[in-house]
Amino acid sequence: MKYISTRGQMEPIEFQDAVMTGLAPDGGLLLPQELPDVGNKLEAWSKLSYTELAFEVIRLFATDIPDADLKQLIDDSYATFEHPEVCPSVDVGDFQILELFHGPTLAFKDVALQFLGNLFAYILEKRGGKLNILGATSGDTGSAAIHGVRGKPNINIFIMHPEGRTSPLQEKQMTSVLDANVFNLAVDGSFDDCQNIMKTTFGDVPFKTEHSLGSVNSVNWARVLAQTVYYFYAAFRTLEKTGASTVQFSVPTGNFGDILAGYLAQQMGLPVSKLILATNENDILTRFFNTGEYSKAQAVPTISPSMDIQVASNFERYLYFKVGKDAAKLVDLMNDFKDKGVLKVALNETGVVDDLFAAGRGDTASTLETIKRYKEQYGYVLDPHTAVGVYVAEKFRSPESPTICLATAHPAKFTQAIIDAIGEAVHHPTLDALEHAETRCETIANDVDLVKQYLVEHI
Ligand SMILES: *Cc1c(COP(=O)(O)O)cnc(C)c1O
C-alpha cells in the first residue's frame, strides 16, 4: 500500500515513510492511494479478538512491515490496556457506550499513541537514527504522547505546557513519568506561547534536521489507522447483540481525527448508516456539515477542553474525498480558507453536505445536564466530552440502527466538571495514585532560544 498527499504534489511513499513524514512536503495530508474493500472479510473479522482484528485491519495498510513484527507491535501496544477487551462496549439506556479510556492515561488518544510509540521505536531500530519529539499541550495529548514513548530506545520527548494553567491532575499525569527520555517543560506563559515556541522551532529547518525533531500530532496517518479498528470491533459487538444490520456512531469531535477513522471504516465497507458528529460551543464542524460553510471563529474554553478547537487538522482528509479525490479542487478550497478564513461546498438534494453525517452541538449547560441525567437514570457517569456526544446522539436516534457512542475519556480526569454536574467526584486508582507520586519538571522562560538550548543540552 502506497501513500499520496491530498494536495497531489508528492510521489507515492510506503507506510513506514508515511509514519515518519507526518505532513506531506506539499503541505497536504497523507492518505492511502486506495481504500481496500473489506466487505467480504467482515464475517470472519467479527469473530476476532481486539488485537487479532487490529492486526488484520492494519496489515492491509502497513504492507512494508512483516506480519510477525506487526503482530508483536500490536500485542505490545494493547497489553498496556487494563481491560481484557481493550475497547469494550457497555449498555447504557438506549445506547452502546464504547469505552476507549482503558489505556494508561484514561483517554482515547492512548489507542493511537501506544501504537505510534512502538511503531516509531521499531522503525528507528531498523533504519537507525534518533527521534526527538517536541510538543505543546494544554493537557490530554501531551500525557498520552509521553506514555506512548516513555522508556523507548532512540526517542526523546519534550513536552511544553503552560505553567500553572493545565489542571493539576493532567500536569501530574505528565510530570510523574520519570523515564530518562521524558522531559516536561513548564513554560512561563500561555498555551499559545508554547505553540509559538514549537512553530518557531520547527520553522528553523536546519535546526530541525540537525536535531531530528519530530512531532506526534493528530495528522499522523498511523494514529487515524489505529482508530479505525475500534469502529469495526464495536460494530461487530453491537450487530451480534441486537441483530440489526447497520449501526450509527456518535463521536465527540475536535480535530476530526476520531470521526475520520469512522468515515474510512464506512468507506471500506463497514455497515454504518450514520456518523453523528458532536461538537461543543466550538462548532466549526457542526456548522460545516449543516450549511456547507467552513469558517473560522475564535476558540472559547469549555468543560470539554480537548474539543476546544476551531480549525480541525484532519478535516482536509475528508474534504479530499468530498471533492472526488481531485487534488487541484482541494488546493483551491484550502487556499480560500487560508486567504478568506472560509471555504464553501455545495449542499446536496437533501440540503446537507453529506447524508452519511448528522451534526449537532452541545453547550455547557446541556453537557452538565446530560451527565447528571445519566448518573440518575442509569448510574453511569459520562465524562464531559462523551456527554456532548450522547446529548447530540439523542436527537438522531434511529429505530432500525442502534447507536454506539464513543466514550473518549474516563470521568475521573475532569474532576471539577463532574462535581458541578453530580455534586461529587469520581475516582480512578491510577489517578488517585498520582497524589503522592514523585514528579520531575523543568520551569523555563517563554523564550524560543532558551527552549532550543535546553533541547540541545538534553538530546
Ligand atoms: C482529543 C479528544 C477528543 C477529540 O478527538 P479528535 O480526534 O480531535 O476529534 C475528544 N475527547 C477527548 C477526551 C479527547 O482527548
PDB file of all heavy atoms in Angstrom, residues 106-109 140-141 218 223 227 230 251-260 285 304-307 309 312-314 383 385-386 407-410 413-414, ligand 1:
ATOM      1  N   LEU A 106      -6.042   7.067  30.431  1.00  0.00           N
ATOM      2  CA  LEU A 106      -7.510   7.102  30.584  1.00  0.00           C
ATOM      3  C   LEU A 106      -8.204   7.990  29.555  1.00  0.00           C
ATOM      4  O   LEU A 106      -9.241   8.578  29.840  1.00  0.00           O
ATOM      5  CB  LEU A 106      -7.918   7.516  32.000  1.00  0.00           C
ATOM      6  CG  LEU A 106      -7.183   6.870  33.178  1.00  0.00           C
ATOM      7  CD1 LEU A 106      -7.796   7.339  34.492  1.00  0.00           C
ATOM      8  CD2 LEU A 106      -7.227   5.348  33.105  1.00  0.00           C
ATOM      9  N   ALA A 107      -7.632   8.101  28.350  1.00  0.00           N
ATOM     10  CA  ALA A 107      -8.317   8.817  27.271  1.00  0.00           C
ATOM     11  C   ALA A 107      -8.097   8.062  25.961  1.00  0.00           C
ATOM     12  O   ALA A 107      -7.148   7.279  25.831  1.00  0.00           O
ATOM     13  CB  ALA A 107      -7.808  10.247  27.140  1.00  0.00           C
ATOM     14  N   PHE A 108      -8.962   8.321  24.994  1.00  0.00           N
ATOM     15  CA  PHE A 108      -8.926   7.504  23.772  1.00  0.00           C
ATOM     16  C   PHE A 108      -7.638   7.700  22.978  1.00  0.00           C
ATOM     17  O   PHE A 108      -7.286   6.867  22.151  1.00  0.00           O
ATOM     18  CB  PHE A 108     -10.163   7.773  22.907  1.00  0.00           C
ATOM     19  CG  PHE A 108      -9.965   8.821  21.845  1.00  0.00           C
ATOM     20  CD1 PHE A 108      -9.711   8.451  20.536  1.00  0.00           C
ATOM     21  CD2 PHE A 108     -10.027  10.167  22.150  1.00  0.00           C
ATOM     22  CE1 PHE A 108      -9.520   9.401  19.555  1.00  0.00           C
ATOM     23  CE2 PHE A 108      -9.835  11.130  21.176  1.00  0.00           C
ATOM     24  CZ  PHE A 108      -9.578  10.752  19.871  1.00  0.00           C
ATOM     25  N   LYS A 109      -6.914   8.785  23.223  1.00  0.00           N
ATOM     26  CA  LYS A 109      -5.694   9.016  22.452  1.00  0.00           C
ATOM     27  C   LYS A 109      -4.653   7.923  22.683  1.00  0.00           C
ATOM     28  O   LYS A 109      -3.772   7.705  21.862  1.00  0.00           O
ATOM     29  CB  LYS A 109      -5.124  10.397  22.766  1.00  0.00           C
ATOM     30  CG  LYS A 109      -6.037  11.487  22.229  1.00  0.00           C
ATOM     31  CD  LYS A 109      -5.396  12.857  22.216  1.00  0.00           C
ATOM     32  CE  LYS A 109      -6.277  13.854  21.484  1.00  0.00           C
ATOM     33  NZ  LYS A 109      -7.563  14.119  22.170  1.00  0.00           N
ATOM     34  N   ASP A 140      -4.463  16.869  27.480  1.00  0.00           N
ATOM     35  CA  ASP A 140      -4.644  15.466  27.129  1.00  0.00           C
ATOM     36  C   ASP A 140      -3.591  14.833  26.226  1.00  0.00           C
ATOM     37  O   ASP A 140      -3.066  13.764  26.512  1.00  0.00           O
ATOM     38  CB  ASP A 140      -5.981  15.319  26.404  1.00  0.00           C
ATOM     39  CG  ASP A 140      -7.004  14.625  27.279  1.00  0.00           C
ATOM     40  OD1 ASP A 140      -6.693  14.346  28.448  1.00  0.00           O
ATOM     41  OD2 ASP A 140      -8.102  14.374  26.767  1.00  0.00           O
ATOM     42  N   THR A 141      -3.295  15.476  25.108  1.00  0.00           N
ATOM     43  CA  THR A 141      -2.426  14.862  24.118  1.00  0.00           C
ATOM     44  C   THR A 141      -1.023  14.655  24.665  1.00  0.00           C
ATOM     45  O   THR A 141      -0.401  13.625  24.426  1.00  0.00           O
ATOM     46  CB  THR A 141      -2.328  15.739  22.851  1.00  0.00           C
ATOM     47  OG1 THR A 141      -3.649  16.082  22.469  1.00  0.00           O
ATOM     48  CG2 THR A 141      -1.670  15.006  21.729  1.00  0.00           C
ATOM     49  N   SER A 218      -1.918  15.025  15.499  1.00  0.00           N
ATOM     50  CA  SER A 218      -3.031  14.147  15.154  1.00  0.00           C
ATOM     51  C   SER A 218      -3.174  13.917  13.659  1.00  0.00           C
ATOM     52  O   SER A 218      -4.045  13.184  13.241  1.00  0.00           O
ATOM     53  CB  SER A 218      -4.329  14.697  15.735  1.00  0.00           C
ATOM     54  OG  SER A 218      -4.679  15.892  15.069  1.00  0.00           O
ATOM     55  N   ARG A 223      -1.995   7.240  13.478  1.00  0.00           N
ATOM     56  CA  ARG A 223      -2.985   7.500  14.529  1.00  0.00           C
ATOM     57  C   ARG A 223      -4.391   7.242  13.998  1.00  0.00           C
ATOM     58  O   ARG A 223      -5.195   6.569  14.635  1.00  0.00           O
ATOM     59  CB  ARG A 223      -2.869   8.947  15.041  1.00  0.00           C
ATOM     60  CG  ARG A 223      -1.660   9.144  15.936  1.00  0.00           C
ATOM     61  CD  ARG A 223      -1.577  10.537  16.522  1.00  0.00           C
ATOM     62  NE  ARG A 223      -2.707  10.863  17.406  1.00  0.00           N
ATOM     63  CZ  ARG A 223      -2.771  11.975  18.129  1.00  0.00           C
ATOM     64  NH1 ARG A 223      -1.792  12.855  18.091  1.00  0.00           N
ATOM     65  NH2 ARG A 223      -3.810  12.212  18.895  1.00  0.00           N
ATOM     66  N   GLN A 227      -7.157   4.018  14.966  1.00  0.00           N
ATOM     67  CA  GLN A 227      -8.504   4.318  15.451  1.00  0.00           C
ATOM     68  C   GLN A 227      -9.601   3.658  14.625  1.00  0.00           C
ATOM     69  O   GLN A 227     -10.725   3.517  15.090  1.00  0.00           O
ATOM     70  CB  GLN A 227      -8.705   5.838  15.504  1.00  0.00           C
ATOM     71  CG  GLN A 227      -7.869   6.461  16.612  1.00  0.00           C
ATOM     72  CD  GLN A 227      -7.821   7.975  16.587  1.00  0.00           C
ATOM     73  OE1 GLN A 227      -7.090   8.562  17.353  1.00  0.00           O
ATOM     74  NE2 GLN A 227      -8.567   8.619  15.707  1.00  0.00           N
ATOM     75  N   TYR A 230     -11.344   0.211  16.274  1.00  0.00           N
ATOM     76  CA  TYR A 230     -12.450   0.077  17.228  1.00  0.00           C
ATOM     77  C   TYR A 230     -13.813   0.324  16.606  1.00  0.00           C
ATOM     78  O   TYR A 230     -14.822  -0.109  17.146  1.00  0.00           O
ATOM     79  CB  TYR A 230     -12.227   0.877  18.512  1.00  0.00           C
ATOM     80  CG  TYR A 230     -11.862   2.344  18.405  1.00  0.00           C
ATOM     81  CD1 TYR A 230     -12.771   3.289  17.956  1.00  0.00           C
ATOM     82  CD2 TYR A 230     -10.601   2.772  18.826  1.00  0.00           C
ATOM     83  CE1 TYR A 230     -12.440   4.627  17.911  1.00  0.00           C
ATOM     84  CE2 TYR A 230     -10.268   4.124  18.792  1.00  0.00           C
ATOM     85  CZ  TYR A 230     -11.188   5.048  18.332  1.00  0.00           C
ATOM     86  OH  TYR A 230     -10.855   6.380  18.300  1.00  0.00           O
ATOM     87  N   VAL A 251     -19.779  10.651  17.730  1.00  0.00           N
ATOM     88  CA  VAL A 251     -18.372  10.923  18.011  1.00  0.00           C
ATOM     89  C   VAL A 251     -18.160  12.368  18.467  1.00  0.00           C
ATOM     90  O   VAL A 251     -18.389  13.309  17.699  1.00  0.00           O
ATOM     91  CB  VAL A 251     -17.511  10.672  16.741  1.00  0.00           C
ATOM     92  CG1 VAL A 251     -16.031  10.722  17.091  1.00  0.00           C
ATOM     93  CG2 VAL A 251     -17.870   9.350  16.083  1.00  0.00           C
ATOM     94  N   PRO A 252     -17.725  12.561  19.730  1.00  0.00           N
ATOM     95  CA  PRO A 252     -17.385  13.919  20.173  1.00  0.00           C
ATOM     96  C   PRO A 252     -16.101  14.362  19.474  1.00  0.00           C
ATOM     97  O   PRO A 252     -15.082  13.682  19.527  1.00  0.00           O
ATOM     98  CB  PRO A 252     -17.180  13.774  21.687  1.00  0.00           C
ATOM     99  CG  PRO A 252     -16.932  12.324  21.941  1.00  0.00           C
ATOM    100  CD  PRO A 252     -17.512  11.555  20.791  1.00  0.00           C
ATOM    101  N   THR A 253     -16.162  15.522  18.819  1.00  0.00           N
ATOM    102  CA  THR A 253     -15.142  15.839  17.815  1.00  0.00           C
ATOM    103  C   THR A 253     -14.424  17.151  18.073  1.00  0.00           C
ATOM    104  O   THR A 253     -15.040  18.128  18.502  1.00  0.00           O
ATOM    105  CB  THR A 253     -15.829  15.923  16.426  1.00  0.00           C
ATOM    106  OG1 THR A 253     -16.584  14.729  16.233  1.00  0.00           O
ATOM    107  CG2 THR A 253     -14.817  16.043  15.318  1.00  0.00           C
ATOM    108  N   GLY A 254     -13.118  17.144  17.800  1.00  0.00           N
ATOM    109  CA  GLY A 254     -12.317  18.359  17.871  1.00  0.00           C
ATOM    110  C   GLY A 254     -11.526  18.530  16.585  1.00  0.00           C
ATOM    111  O   GLY A 254     -11.851  19.325  15.722  1.00  0.00           O
ATOM    112  N   ASN A 255     -10.485  17.700  16.443  1.00  0.00           N
ATOM    113  CA  ASN A 255      -9.626  17.789  15.267  1.00  0.00           C
ATOM    114  C   ASN A 255     -10.076  16.909  14.099  1.00  0.00           C
ATOM    115  O   ASN A 255      -9.360  16.750  13.117  1.00  0.00           O
ATOM    116  CB  ASN A 255      -8.191  17.415  15.641  1.00  0.00           C
ATOM    117  CG  ASN A 255      -7.379  18.642  15.996  1.00  0.00           C
ATOM    118  OD1 ASN A 255      -7.446  19.640  15.294  1.00  0.00           O
ATOM    119  ND2 ASN A 255      -6.630  18.568  17.073  1.00  0.00           N
ATOM    120  N   PHE A 256     -11.226  16.257  14.226  1.00  0.00           N
ATOM    121  CA  PHE A 256     -11.787  15.414  13.170  1.00  0.00           C
ATOM    122  C   PHE A 256     -10.986  14.136  12.936  1.00  0.00           C
ATOM    123  O   PHE A 256     -11.158  13.447  11.939  1.00  0.00           O
ATOM    124  CB  PHE A 256     -11.910  16.204  11.850  1.00  0.00           C
ATOM    125  CG  PHE A 256     -12.971  15.677  10.919  1.00  0.00           C
ATOM    126  CD1 PHE A 256     -14.304  16.015  11.114  1.00  0.00           C
ATOM    127  CD2 PHE A 256     -12.660  14.852   9.855  1.00  0.00           C
ATOM    128  CE1 PHE A 256     -15.289  15.526  10.259  1.00  0.00           C
ATOM    129  CE2 PHE A 256     -13.635  14.362   8.992  1.00  0.00           C
ATOM    130  CZ  PHE A 256     -14.972  14.707   9.189  1.00  0.00           C
ATOM    131  N   GLY A 257     -10.071  13.786  13.875  1.00  0.00           N
ATOM    132  CA  GLY A 257      -9.273  12.579  13.676  1.00  0.00           C
ATOM    133  C   GLY A 257     -10.076  11.325  13.958  1.00  0.00           C
ATOM    134  O   GLY A 257     -10.096  10.375  13.158  1.00  0.00           O
ATOM    135  N   ASP A 258     -10.754  11.343  15.093  1.00  0.00           N
ATOM    136  CA  ASP A 258     -11.507  10.177  15.524  1.00  0.00           C
ATOM    137  C   ASP A 258     -12.630   9.859  14.535  1.00  0.00           C
ATOM    138  O   ASP A 258     -12.777   8.727  14.067  1.00  0.00           O
ATOM    139  CB  ASP A 258     -12.063  10.492  16.923  1.00  0.00           C
ATOM    140  CG  ASP A 258     -12.448   9.251  17.682  1.00  0.00           C
ATOM    141  OD1 ASP A 258     -12.291   8.141  17.145  1.00  0.00           O
ATOM    142  OD2 ASP A 258     -12.924   9.387  18.819  1.00  0.00           O
ATOM    143  N   ILE A 259     -13.421  10.846  14.187  1.00  0.00           N
ATOM    144  CA  ILE A 259     -14.571  10.587  13.307  1.00  0.00           C
ATOM    145  C   ILE A 259     -14.111  10.267  11.884  1.00  0.00           C
ATOM    146  O   ILE A 259     -14.755   9.509  11.166  1.00  0.00           O
ATOM    147  CB  ILE A 259     -15.591  11.751  13.339  1.00  0.00           C
ATOM    148  CG1 ILE A 259     -16.933  11.290  12.757  1.00  0.00           C
ATOM    149  CG2 ILE A 259     -15.059  12.994  12.664  1.00  0.00           C
ATOM    150  CD1 ILE A 259     -18.108  12.180  13.104  1.00  0.00           C
ATOM    151  N   LEU A 260     -12.967  10.800  11.487  1.00  0.00           N
ATOM    152  CA  LEU A 260     -12.417  10.437  10.173  1.00  0.00           C
ATOM    153  C   LEU A 260     -12.145   8.936  10.110  1.00  0.00           C
ATOM    154  O   LEU A 260     -12.400   8.285   9.086  1.00  0.00           O
ATOM    155  CB  LEU A 260     -11.112  11.200   9.905  1.00  0.00           C
ATOM    156  CG  LEU A 260     -10.426  10.808   8.594  1.00  0.00           C
ATOM    157  CD1 LEU A 260     -11.086  11.519   7.415  1.00  0.00           C
ATOM    158  CD2 LEU A 260      -8.939  11.126   8.628  1.00  0.00           C
ATOM    159  N   LEU A 285     -17.205  22.528  12.809  1.00  0.00           N
ATOM    160  CA  LEU A 285     -17.540  21.327  12.037  1.00  0.00           C
ATOM    161  C   LEU A 285     -19.054  21.105  11.956  1.00  0.00           C
ATOM    162  O   LEU A 285     -19.571  20.707  10.902  1.00  0.00           O
ATOM    163  CB  LEU A 285     -16.838  20.107  12.645  1.00  0.00           C
ATOM    164  CG  LEU A 285     -15.327  20.104  12.434  1.00  0.00           C
ATOM    165  CD1 LEU A 285     -14.647  19.097  13.378  1.00  0.00           C
ATOM    166  CD2 LEU A 285     -14.956  19.771  10.990  1.00  0.00           C
ATOM    167  N   SER A 304     -15.205  20.678  28.022  1.00  0.00           N
ATOM    168  CA  SER A 304     -14.672  19.553  27.239  1.00  0.00           C
ATOM    169  C   SER A 304     -13.468  20.080  26.445  1.00  0.00           C
ATOM    170  O   SER A 304     -13.520  20.243  25.235  1.00  0.00           O
ATOM    171  CB  SER A 304     -15.744  18.963  26.321  1.00  0.00           C
ATOM    172  OG  SER A 304     -16.502  19.974  25.673  1.00  0.00           O
ATOM    173  N   PRO A 305     -12.349  20.347  27.162  1.00  0.00           N
ATOM    174  CA  PRO A 305     -11.242  21.133  26.595  1.00  0.00           C
ATOM    175  C   PRO A 305     -10.578  20.472  25.376  1.00  0.00           C
ATOM    176  O   PRO A 305     -10.041  21.185  24.525  1.00  0.00           O
ATOM    177  CB  PRO A 305     -10.250  21.243  27.762  1.00  0.00           C
ATOM    178  CG  PRO A 305     -10.611  20.140  28.705  1.00  0.00           C
ATOM    179  CD  PRO A 305     -12.092  19.966  28.567  1.00  0.00           C
ATOM    180  N   SER A 306     -10.638  19.153  25.270  1.00  0.00           N
ATOM    181  CA  SER A 306      -9.968  18.515  24.134  1.00  0.00           C
ATOM    182  C   SER A 306     -10.734  18.703  22.831  1.00  0.00           C
ATOM    183  O   SER A 306     -10.298  18.252  21.781  1.00  0.00           O
ATOM    184  CB  SER A 306      -9.759  17.031  24.410  1.00  0.00           C
ATOM    185  OG  SER A 306      -8.886  16.886  25.509  1.00  0.00           O
ATOM    186  N   MET A 307     -11.890  19.359  22.921  1.00  0.00           N
ATOM    187  CA  MET A 307     -12.651  19.676  21.712  1.00  0.00           C
ATOM    188  C   MET A 307     -12.695  21.181  21.474  1.00  0.00           C
ATOM    189  O   MET A 307     -13.449  21.651  20.627  1.00  0.00           O
ATOM    190  CB  MET A 307     -14.072  19.127  21.837  1.00  0.00           C
ATOM    191  CG  MET A 307     -14.094  17.609  21.864  1.00  0.00           C
ATOM    192  SD  MET A 307     -15.509  16.935  22.752  1.00  0.00           S
ATOM    193  CE  MET A 307     -16.854  17.532  21.751  1.00  0.00           C
ATOM    194  N   ILE A 309     -11.425  23.409  19.692  1.00  0.00           N
ATOM    195  CA  ILE A 309     -10.596  23.565  18.508  1.00  0.00           C
ATOM    196  C   ILE A 309     -11.434  24.230  17.446  1.00  0.00           C
ATOM    197  O   ILE A 309     -12.612  23.900  17.288  1.00  0.00           O
ATOM    198  CB  ILE A 309     -10.110  22.160  18.055  1.00  0.00           C
ATOM    199  CG1 ILE A 309      -8.978  21.715  18.978  1.00  0.00           C
ATOM    200  CG2 ILE A 309      -9.649  22.174  16.605  1.00  0.00           C
ATOM    201  CD1 ILE A 309      -8.806  20.249  19.050  1.00  0.00           C
ATOM    202  N   ALA A 312      -9.884  22.230  12.334  1.00  0.00           N
ATOM    203  CA  ALA A 312      -9.716  20.797  12.593  1.00  0.00           C
ATOM    204  C   ALA A 312      -8.653  20.216  11.672  1.00  0.00           C
ATOM    205  O   ALA A 312      -8.819  20.165  10.456  1.00  0.00           O
ATOM    206  CB  ALA A 312     -11.043  20.075  12.389  1.00  0.00           C
ATOM    207  N   SER A 313      -7.531  19.784  12.268  1.00  0.00           N
ATOM    208  CA  SER A 313      -6.375  19.447  11.438  1.00  0.00           C
ATOM    209  C   SER A 313      -6.602  18.255  10.495  1.00  0.00           C
ATOM    210  O   SER A 313      -5.942  18.153   9.476  1.00  0.00           O
ATOM    211  CB  SER A 313      -5.146  19.216  12.322  1.00  0.00           C
ATOM    212  OG  SER A 313      -5.449  18.292  13.326  1.00  0.00           O
ATOM    213  N   ASN A 314      -7.544  17.374  10.805  1.00  0.00           N
ATOM    214  CA  ASN A 314      -7.766  16.227   9.909  1.00  0.00           C
ATOM    215  C   ASN A 314      -8.877  16.445   8.888  1.00  0.00           C
ATOM    216  O   ASN A 314      -9.154  15.567   8.069  1.00  0.00           O
ATOM    217  CB  ASN A 314      -8.111  14.982  10.740  1.00  0.00           C
ATOM    218  CG  ASN A 314      -6.875  14.163  11.036  1.00  0.00           C
ATOM    219  OD1 ASN A 314      -6.265  13.593  10.137  1.00  0.00           O
ATOM    220  ND2 ASN A 314      -6.481  14.133  12.291  1.00  0.00           N
ATOM    221  N   ASP A 383     -17.959  11.268  30.942  1.00  0.00           N
ATOM    222  CA  ASP A 383     -17.040  12.412  31.046  1.00  0.00           C
ATOM    223  C   ASP A 383     -17.629  13.535  30.184  1.00  0.00           C
ATOM    224  O   ASP A 383     -18.525  13.288  29.361  1.00  0.00           O
ATOM    225  CB  ASP A 383     -15.619  12.009  30.594  1.00  0.00           C
ATOM    226  CG  ASP A 383     -15.304  12.507  29.208  1.00  0.00           C
ATOM    227  OD1 ASP A 383     -15.782  11.890  28.242  1.00  0.00           O
ATOM    228  OD2 ASP A 383     -14.621  13.537  29.093  1.00  0.00           O
ATOM    229  N   HIS A 385     -16.680  15.168  27.539  1.00  0.00           N
ATOM    230  CA  HIS A 385     -16.589  15.006  26.078  1.00  0.00           C
ATOM    231  C   HIS A 385     -17.623  13.983  25.604  1.00  0.00           C
ATOM    232  O   HIS A 385     -18.360  14.218  24.646  1.00  0.00           O
ATOM    233  CB  HIS A 385     -15.184  14.543  25.670  1.00  0.00           C
ATOM    234  CG  HIS A 385     -14.091  15.447  26.142  1.00  0.00           C
ATOM    235  ND1 HIS A 385     -13.647  15.441  27.447  1.00  0.00           N
ATOM    236  CD2 HIS A 385     -13.364  16.394  25.510  1.00  0.00           C
ATOM    237  CE1 HIS A 385     -12.686  16.347  27.584  1.00  0.00           C
ATOM    238  NE2 HIS A 385     -12.493  16.947  26.424  1.00  0.00           N
ATOM    239  N   THR A 386     -17.650  12.856  26.300  1.00  0.00           N
ATOM    240  CA  THR A 386     -18.598  11.802  25.956  1.00  0.00           C
ATOM    241  C   THR A 386     -20.029  12.316  26.075  1.00  0.00           C
ATOM    242  O   THR A 386     -20.886  11.994  25.240  1.00  0.00           O
ATOM    243  CB  THR A 386     -18.388  10.603  26.895  1.00  0.00           C
ATOM    244  OG1 THR A 386     -16.996  10.253  26.870  1.00  0.00           O
ATOM    245  CG2 THR A 386     -19.230   9.416  26.474  1.00  0.00           C
ATOM    246  N   ALA A 407     -16.974   6.826  24.034  1.00  0.00           N
ATOM    247  CA  ALA A 407     -16.602   7.436  25.317  1.00  0.00           C
ATOM    248  C   ALA A 407     -15.105   7.682  25.270  1.00  0.00           C
ATOM    249  O   ALA A 407     -14.297   6.753  25.315  1.00  0.00           O
ATOM    250  CB  ALA A 407     -16.973   6.514  26.468  1.00  0.00           C
ATOM    251  N   THR A 408     -14.726   8.971  25.161  1.00  0.00           N
ATOM    252  CA  THR A 408     -13.336   9.286  24.840  1.00  0.00           C
ATOM    253  C   THR A 408     -12.439   9.517  26.051  1.00  0.00           C
ATOM    254  O   THR A 408     -11.231   9.588  25.903  1.00  0.00           O
ATOM    255  CB  THR A 408     -13.272  10.526  23.919  1.00  0.00           C
ATOM    256  OG1 THR A 408     -14.051  11.564  24.501  1.00  0.00           O
ATOM    257  CG2 THR A 408     -13.821  10.203  22.538  1.00  0.00           C
ATOM    258  N   ALA A 409     -13.027   9.654  27.233  1.00  0.00           N
ATOM    259  CA  ALA A 409     -12.177   9.805  28.429  1.00  0.00           C
ATOM    260  C   ALA A 409     -12.904   9.269  29.651  1.00  0.00           C
ATOM    261  O   ALA A 409     -14.144   9.201  29.669  1.00  0.00           O
ATOM    262  CB  ALA A 409     -11.805  11.270  28.650  1.00  0.00           C
ATOM    263  N   HIS A 410     -12.149   8.910  30.664  1.00  0.00           N
ATOM    264  CA  HIS A 410     -12.732   8.482  31.942  1.00  0.00           C
ATOM    265  C   HIS A 410     -13.150   9.734  32.719  1.00  0.00           C
ATOM    266  O   HIS A 410     -12.396  10.719  32.749  1.00  0.00           O
ATOM    267  CB  HIS A 410     -11.700   7.675  32.738  1.00  0.00           C
ATOM    268  CG  HIS A 410     -12.293   6.984  33.920  1.00  0.00           C
ATOM    269  ND1 HIS A 410     -12.601   7.648  35.089  1.00  0.00           N
ATOM    270  CD2 HIS A 410     -12.655   5.692  34.118  1.00  0.00           C
ATOM    271  CE1 HIS A 410     -13.134   6.791  35.947  1.00  0.00           C
ATOM    272  NE2 HIS A 410     -13.180   5.594  35.381  1.00  0.00           N
ATOM    273  N   LYS A 413     -10.963  12.072  35.098  1.00  0.00           N
ATOM    274  CA  LYS A 413      -9.977  13.041  34.618  1.00  0.00           C
ATOM    275  C   LYS A 413     -10.481  14.476  34.720  1.00  0.00           C
ATOM    276  O   LYS A 413      -9.687  15.411  34.636  1.00  0.00           O
ATOM    277  CB  LYS A 413      -9.629  12.773  33.142  1.00  0.00           C
ATOM    278  CG  LYS A 413      -8.804  11.534  32.924  1.00  0.00           C
ATOM    279  CD  LYS A 413      -8.263  11.484  31.505  1.00  0.00           C
ATOM    280  CE  LYS A 413      -7.008  12.318  31.352  1.00  0.00           C
ATOM    281  NZ  LYS A 413      -6.299  12.028  30.088  1.00  0.00           N
ATOM    282  N   PHE A 414     -11.788  14.642  34.817  1.00  0.00           N
ATOM    283  CA  PHE A 414     -12.358  16.007  34.752  1.00  0.00           C
ATOM    284  C   PHE A 414     -13.147  16.311  36.022  1.00  0.00           C
ATOM    285  O   PHE A 414     -14.361  16.513  36.006  1.00  0.00           O
ATOM    286  CB  PHE A 414     -13.195  16.148  33.473  1.00  0.00           C
ATOM    287  CG  PHE A 414     -12.365  15.935  32.252  1.00  0.00           C
ATOM    288  CD1 PHE A 414     -12.296  14.684  31.639  1.00  0.00           C
ATOM    289  CD2 PHE A 414     -11.553  16.947  31.754  1.00  0.00           C
ATOM    290  CE1 PHE A 414     -11.474  14.458  30.541  1.00  0.00           C
ATOM    291  CE2 PHE A 414     -10.730  16.733  30.656  1.00  0.00           C
ATOM    292  CZ  PHE A 414     -10.688  15.490  30.050  1.00  0.00           C
TER     293      PHE A 414
HETATM  294  C1  LIG B   1      -8.751  14.502  21.553  1.00  0.00           C
HETATM  295  C2  LIG B   1     -10.043  14.254  22.241  1.00  0.00           C
HETATM  296  C3  LIG B   1     -11.282  14.382  21.570  1.00  0.00           C
HETATM  297  C4  LIG B   1     -11.401  14.859  20.128  1.00  0.00           C
HETATM  298  O1  LIG B   1     -10.842  13.953  19.208  1.00  0.00           O
HETATM  299  P1  LIG B   1     -10.471  14.447  17.729  1.00  0.00           P
HETATM  300  O2  LIG B   1      -9.789  13.307  17.084  1.00  0.00           O
HETATM  301  O3  LIG B   1      -9.581  15.645  17.911  1.00  0.00           O
HETATM  302  O4  LIG B   1     -11.751  14.805  17.065  1.00  0.00           O
HETATM  303  C5  LIG B   1     -12.444  14.082  22.271  1.00  0.00           C
HETATM  304  N1  LIG B   1     -12.400  13.690  23.565  1.00  0.00           N
HETATM  305  C6  LIG B   1     -11.238  13.561  24.238  1.00  0.00           C
HETATM  306  C7  LIG B   1     -11.276  13.145  25.663  1.00  0.00           C
HETATM  307  C8  LIG B   1     -10.017  13.820  23.602  1.00  0.00           C
HETATM  308  O5  LIG B   1      -8.873  13.702  24.295  1.00  0.00           O
END
